[in-house]
Every structure is written in structure tokens, then in C-alpha cells.
Amino acid sequence: MIAAEKADKGNDIWDLPKRFTQSRDEWFANDPLDGLLGIMSKDPEASAAFLDPQSDPNPDDGKKTGNDRLEYLTRKRDWNVVDGNLFMRNPHDPDSMWGDPLSYSDIEDAQTRAGFGAALVAGTTGIDPNNSGGGYVTHSEANNRVFEGALKHLSAEKNDFPPSLRTSMAVVMGNYGDEVHAATSAHNDSESPIDRSQVLEVAKQISRDRYSYLTLQDSINHEIVRTISSDGDPEESWRRAGRTVGFLEEARYQGLQVDVDDAKSKASWEAKMDYHRWGGVANFIPKVGDAVQREVDVLTSKWLEEQTTRIEAGHARDNAEVNTNGEDRITALSDIWRKANPDIAASEKPYVTTDKLDSATKDGSATARNLAGKGS
């Protein structure tokens, strides 16, 4: 199917008249390749093998070669599969100038990338997004390569990042929460397991949708609390927690700045947060004990309260808010850290703990700003 698309010079191989899709919005019929990718998502191993840049597309030819499927689907494919004009095309030569005189006005299907987004989740996480009840699974090498490839190609799209993939990538980033937390809290590239500039750009694009942003934030909250509650270095855990919070808050600001003059986007972000409409990430992240989960719930609750307060005050895009509107969340993080480290907390006042976390948050914000200045 991909070969057929590449051979079609007019990028019209699947295009259907707009009047047909208005009365019968059949996603699979409108975009058969996306429909097939949706079916493939039910088999995570197959999805990973298909999207893995190192998988051999022709294993019987004796040559060991990779493939460009992931790059093609993220950056090169024409996703405008619905005719955006009312002209009758020439059935004998649909790719001619007269057959499709306004091909540039073609539009995406209403359910564009639904199948690809599902296959991307399956191929990176190893979990069937249509039936995720089995929970988190250990990543294969192919899963990791698909994840790194998705970061690379989608971050390169910058503000052309497809809105239809924001939630899918939020789920993926959350599933790789340990790598993302390590990247967003790193001092430099050598400390980070993945490209920090790519992480920033994808987080920025995810943040342009509030429910996708919530998905990312909640999953990273899980990773932050899990790290604080582990047997690792207590001081490193609070430093990383603060830096990650600041990094992702700066990514949110950068994302909102893209749409600052977009009335529709502004209305969407500033509508009241409805927690019950949000699907959550529980099945895509490692399980934690009840005590840790309760702390995560507190942290996410504080974050939601801050978002609601910010929106109701009309400051969804206020630059000053990046560093000042996070005090309750930082205080909650301080309390969580002190409970996990009672011996240290006994000799350190709550003010000092909160102040250290607050400083680390500003460091994380500064890191993200510096990366953006380098052209992330």
C-alpha cells in the first residue's frame, strides 16, 4: 500500500469526493492504510516490527537493510485523503491537471491518523491500546527504537506536529516516564538517555492540548513519586523532581505561546478542566503500591487545582505564571519527599525543603528555555 502511494504522483490514490464523506464518514474506506495500521495496533509485536527503522522490509532478498516507514508516516505521507474541491475528476487520468485542478485544497479525514496513532502506541509500549488491561510490559529493543524514531521525526515537525497525535505521544512519553524524567532533569546531554531537545519539542506540542498535557503530567507525576519513594539518593530525587516540574512547565508555556492568537485554542484551554472526561494512564505505566498511588493522586490533584485557578484567572498564557503558579504542587512534592525521608526531615524545616524544590524548579525552567534558544 505504501509503495502504491509513493508511485502515485498526484497523492490522490485514496481520495474520495467530499460530498461522499459528508454523508458517510467511513474512516477505513477514506484511508485504507490508516485503517490497516489500526488493525495492526492490536498486535503490538507486529506494530513494533513494522515501525522499527531497523526491520528488514525484504528479508528474503539476502540484503540487510532498514526501512523508512516511520519517517514516511510521520513526515512524508500525504494525509489529505478527502477531496477539498467540487470539481469532477477525469476518471481516465485522475492525476492530470484537469483531473484534479484543486488537489492542493484536499483535506484530512475527520479521524485522521487514528490507526497510526494506535499503532505508534502499540509499537513503542508493547501494549495493545484497544485492550490495555494487561498493564505495563517491559520494552523490547524494537520498542525503544520506535520510540526514539518517533521523538526524532515528530520533534522535527515542530509546530506542524499533527494535533491528532498529541494524545498518542502523551501516552507514549508517559510509558517511557523514567527516560523522560531523566532527560528533563538532566544538566546536560551526556546525562540524558534520550535527546533533550526532542523531548522538549514533543512536550511543547503535546501541551497545546490540555487533555494530552494532563496525560503527560500525570504519568510523570507517577515517575517522580516513584523515584522519591525508592531507595535511591534522597537529595538527587528532590533535585530531579523540581527540575522536571520546571522543564515541563516551561514546555507548556512555549506550547501555549504558539497558539496565543488562536481564539479556538484559547477557548479550548481556558474551558473548565473536567477530570472525569480524562482517560488516564494507569494501564500504560508501571504499577506502584497503594501508598505511592495516594501520593500521586495528591500531586495530580494539586496540579489540577493550579490549572483551574490559572484558567479562571485568565492567566493561561502569562509568562510570569511559569515560575509562580506552581507553589501548591511544590509544597505537595515537599511533603511527599519529607514523608519518604523522615530521618532527614527531622533535622530540616519544611520551609527549607520547599525552598530547595522551588529553586530546582527554576533550574529546570531555565534549562528548557536554553534548549529552546538553541533551536529545539
Side-chain angles (χ1 to χ4, degrees):
M1 295 173 78
I2 289 177
E5 289 187 354
K6 290 181 177 180
D8 181 65
K9 297 179 181 180
N11 292 324
D12 289 322
I13 188 170
W14 311 124
D15 286 11
L16 294 172
K18 186 175 181 180
R19 58 182 177 275
F20 176 82
T21 56
Q22 283 180 329
S23 60
R24 181 183 170 193
D25 189 18
E26 296 290 351
W27 160 63
F28 188 92
N30 286 358
D31 194 340
L33 177 58
D34 199 40
L36 187 57
L37 288 169
I39 294 174
M40 186 185 292
S41 71
K42 298 177 183 295
D43 186 337
E45 187 174 345
S47 297
F50 183 77
L51 296 173
D52 180 3
Q54 291 188 19
S55 67
D56 190 343
N58 298 299
D60 298 326
D61 65 1
K63 302 176 182 179
K64 292 185 178 180
T65 58
N67 69 85
D68 67 346
R69 295 166 184 156
L70 186 57
E71 182 180 13
Y72 176 74
L73 293 167
T74 52
R75 304 210 66 197
K76 296 183 176 181
R77 185 180 188 246
D78 174 24
W79 287 89
N80 296 330
V81 297
V82 177
D83 281 343
N85 65 79
L86 300 178
F87 286 85
M88 294 296 292
R89 67 175 62 246
N90 180 348
H92 304 293
D93 189 7
D95 291 335
S96 71
M97 175 180 177
W98 300 108
D100 193 10
L102 294 179
S103 61
Y104 59 82
S105 66
D106 289 348
I107 59 176
E108 293 183 345
D109 183 62
Q111 300 180 68
T112 185
R113 297 180 180 81
F116 177 45
L120 194 59
V121 170
T124 52
T125 69
I127 300 170
D128 175 4
N130 312 280
N131 182 22
S132 59
Y136 182 86
V137 300
T138 301
H139 299 141
S140 67
E141 291 185 3
N143 292 148
N144 293 333
R145 287 192 291 267
V146 177
F147 172 59
E148 292 175 6
L151 275 181
K152 174 184 175 181
H153 295 308
L154 287 172
S155 63
E157 288 295 281
K158 296 187 181 297
N159 294 336
D160 291 327
F161 185 109
S164 52
L165 290 182
R166 287 172 185 163
T167 298
S168 296
M169 278 306 293
V171 170
V172 170
M173 294 270 277
N175 179 259
Y176 281 79
D178 51 348
E179 287 92 340
V180 172
H181 183 31
T184 54
S185 59
H187 295 96
N188 50 59
D189 291 337
S190 64
E191 289 182 356
S192 179
I194 50 181
D195 190 297
R196 295 185 302 156
S197 292
Q198 293 174 4
V199 170
L200 173 62
E201 186 62 40
V202 172
K204 166 185 168 182
Q205 300 303 330
I206 287 172
S207 300
R208 294 171 68 183
D209 176 272
R210 61 200 180 111
Y211 288 107
S212 299
Y213 181 54
L214 174 55
T215 297
L216 175 61
Q217 285 284 349
D218 187 53
S219 56
I220 298 304
N221 281 346
H222 275 79
E223 182 59 27
I224 288 173
V225 176
R226 187 195 67 77
T227 302
I228 289 175
S229 303
S230 68
D231 295 328
D233 185 331
E235 182 173 358
E236 181 176 343
S237 70
W238 70 252
R239 288 184 184 276
R240 287 191 177 276
R243 291 181 69 92
T244 288
V245 168
F247 188 104
L248 292 179
E249 184 65 3
E250 175 62 27
R252 178 200 71 87
Y253 171 70
Q254 292 180 22
L256 292 177
Q257 280 299 102
V258 175
D259 298 320
V260 70
D261 296 322
D262 187 327
K264 183 178 179 180
S265 173
K266 189 173 188 293
S268 174
W269 244 98
E270 295 184 357
K272 184 176 178 61
M273 281 276 193
D274 184 354
Y275 187 82
H276 299 291
R277 284 182 54 197
W278 175 65
V281 296
N283 292 339
F284 291 93
I285 57 179
K287 297 294 183 183
V288 295
D290 291 342
V292 173
Q293 183 60 53
R294 284 193 292 271
E295 301 289 15
V296 172
D297 292 340
V298 169
L299 191 57
T300 297
S301 176
K302 289 298 182 183
W303 178 83
L304 280 169
E305 288 176 8
E306 288 170 359
Q307 297 305 306
T308 301
T309 299
R310 169 188 294 159
I311 289 166
E312 290 177 349
H315 297 308
R317 289 162 175 73
D318 188 340
N319 190 17
E321 296 276 313
V322 174
N323 286 329
T324 61
N325 195 312
E327 295 173 352
D328 290 343
R329 188 184 187 189
I330 294 302
T331 300
L333 262 177
S334 175
D335 292 342
I336 291 168
W337 186 87
R338 291 175 65 82
K339 289 178 183 177
N341 299 280
D343 293 342
I344 300 176
S347 59
E348 180 177 285
K349 293 184 178 181
Y351 174 89
V352 175
T353 307
T354 303
D355 189 63
K356 292 192 302 185
L357 271 165
D358 187 56
S359 295
T361 299
K362 291 179 173 61
D363 291 340
S365 295
T367 297
R369 286 195 296 275
N370 290 336
L371 285 171
K374 294 178 182 179
S376 71

